[in-house]
Amino acid sequence: YSPRRLVRFTSNIGNHPISELSSSSSSSSPLRRKLVRCQRTPILLEGLDILEARNTAIKAAKEAGELIRKRLGADVIETKLNTMDLLTEVDGKCQNIIENIILGAYPEHGFLGEESVAPGADASQIALQEARDNEWLWIVDPIDGTTNFASGMPLVGTIIGLAHKGNMVLGVIYDPFNDELFEAIQGNGAFVNGKRMQVSSDATNLSDSVIYTGSPPNPRSIAPTLRSVNALMPKARTIRMLGTAALMLAWVAAGRAGGYYEPDLNAWDSAAGVLMVREAGGQVTDLKGNDWDLSTRPLCATNGKIHEELLEITRSVECTGLDPE
């Protein structure tokens, strides 16, 4: 498989090659306008129109987002890995919305959703390995940032990605509370609400950079994260833990931070955002500097300019993955 097999998209509708779905009405937010079809050339890959897949993903993300907005602060119905790993009834309902829309349009495709997988890294890896047998695989986290959501904090993202033979070709992340839609198609750039995204050009070293990291529920991930924060805090402009990998990756792609790293992430947390960062001109590897793929769990995503400096520090404190048991 080669990215060249994607047919590039050209359009006569403006400067944003994948922004043709919103109407010209100015009476409301672009993401809440009625979707309309415009003339365009398909982006074809193995017979699949990626733009049509993108439209389907957006529809699914926005319908889930409507429910998320209405149910902010929903009760926790159970914990998963531990008391820091929460589940509300809305998580499952949102995944059902997304799954029904996507598999309704593409019944022959595979679907990997967080809420269908048992908690823990081992279960996630097994589920991914089994799902990767599908030529086309949708990878979904219906509510990334469930702890924020359950606590009444409007900081979450709905993540929908599409992989072809293990390569990410489409990513959609929707922030329902700020009505921001982040999207990327391989080889066609990354956009937020129709505006092209570019990673930060101002963050040329760590001292100029806002750095994101996670607050993970797994104790084997907490320790390396805290070591790295202790090492990075005096060197970076600041460290932020937002509680949602979806938005941290999308915001790196949008130039709102210099980088994001975490020693352990599931594919549904990272896949769509990794594509966005790459399409926005950034760099993504694991925390040892190796190329990222769907099975990669340690993540480092940056504007490229601070990548090696960030890796050098995280490696120096052995923040390259989970600590031994």
Side-chain angles (χ1 to χ4, degrees):
Y1 169 72
S2 166
R4 293 178 183 174
R5 293 171 71 180
L6 280 177
V7 179
R8 298 282 298 192
F9 166 54
T10 58
S11 171
N12 59 3
I13 59 170
N15 296 324
H16 307 306
I18 55 175
S19 64
E20 81 287 354
L21 288 182
S22 57
S23 73
S24 59
S25 168
S26 59
S27 61
S28 64
S29 167
L31 289 181
R32 289 180 176 153
R33 299 170 191 162
K34 182 178 179 181
L35 297 181
V36 297
R37 295 184 179 274
C38 299
Q39 274 192 320
R40 48 63 167 177
T41 303
I43 301 179
L44 296 175
L45 176 61
E46 298 290 336
L48 181 73
D49 184 344
I50 302 298
L51 275 178
E52 288 298 330
R54 170 257 190 190
N55 297 347
T56 300
I58 290 174
K59 173 180 170 62
K62 288 171 64 64
E63 287 199 16
E66 287 291 334
L67 179 59
I68 291 168
R69 275 194 295 269
K70 292 175 183 176
R71 296 295 305 277
L72 180 65
D75 290 340
V76 175
I77 59 173
E78 65 179 273
T79 59
K80 296 192 286 186
L81 187 65
N82 53 39
T83 57
M84 295 182 284
D85 193 8
L86 308 182
L87 180 69
T88 75
E89 64 173 336
V90 183
D91 293 76
K93 289 180 178 179
C94 285
Q95 181 162 306
N96 288 339
I97 290 170
I98 296 167
E99 187 170 2
N100 288 338
I101 291 172
I102 287 176
L103 294 186
Y106 303 102
E108 72 282 9
H109 288 189
F111 187 94
L112 177 63
E114 179 183 13
E115 306 314 325
S116 303
V117 180
D122 291 342
S124 300
Q125 289 172 312
I126 292 170
L128 176 62
Q129 190 61 41
E130 293 174 349
R132 288 185 73 167
D133 291 338
N134 293 280
E135 178 181 7
W136 296 98
L137 177 62
W138 294 87
I139 304 168
V140 170
D141 188 346
I143 305 179
D144 185 63
T146 298
T147 299
N148 289 349
F149 175 70
S151 302
M153 295 188 287
L155 191 63
V156 305
T158 295
I159 308 173
I160 303 176
L162 177 61
H164 178 249
K165 296 181 179 178
N167 296 282
M168 293 305 302
V169 297
L170 169 67
V172 167
I173 294 174
Y174 183 48
D175 173 355
F177 295 106
N178 289 304
D179 199 23
E180 285 193 311
L181 180 75
F182 304 86
E183 55 176 309
I185 292 176
Q186 186 187 55
N188 285 265
F191 297 79
V192 53
N193 289 4
K195 182 179 179 181
R196 185 178 289 276
M197 292 194 290
Q198 188 70 33
V199 294
S200 171
S201 59
D202 297 330
T204 57
N205 53 61
L206 278 177
S207 63
D208 300 324
S209 302
V210 174
I211 302 297
Y212 299 140
T213 192
S215 178
N218 188 338
R220 294 172 58 204
S221 185
I222 293 173
T225 299
L226 292 178
R227 291 196 300 269
S228 65
V229 168
N230 188 55
L232 282 165
M233 188 71 78
K235 299 179 182 297
R237 175 166 291 170
T238 190
I239 308 291
R240 291 287 183 263
M241 296 179 177
L242 304 183
T244 161
L247 296 188
M248 289 187 280
L249 281 165
W251 289 4
V252 169
R256 300 174 188 176
Y260 164 55
Y261 74 96
E262 194 151 348
D264 189 53
L265 282 176
N266 295 305
W268 48 75
D269 297 315
S270 59
V274 163
L275 180 62
M276 288 178 196
V277 172
R278 286 174 167 171
E279 288 294 320
Q283 184 176 358
V284 184
T285 66
D286 70 8
L287 284 166
K288 294 181 180 179
N290 301 312
D291 290 341
W292 182 94
D293 66 24
L294 278 178
S295 63
T296 302
R297 296 185 66 85
L299 179 77
C300 183
T302 73
N303 64 354
K305 296 180 179 180
I306 66 166
H307 203 83
E308 290 305 318
E309 189 178 4
L310 179 55
L311 286 179
E312 182 180 352
I313 292 176
T314 55
R315 282 191 298 243
S316 72
V317 293
E318 298 182 342
C319 177
T320 57
L322 294 175
D323 273 0
E325 292 190 50

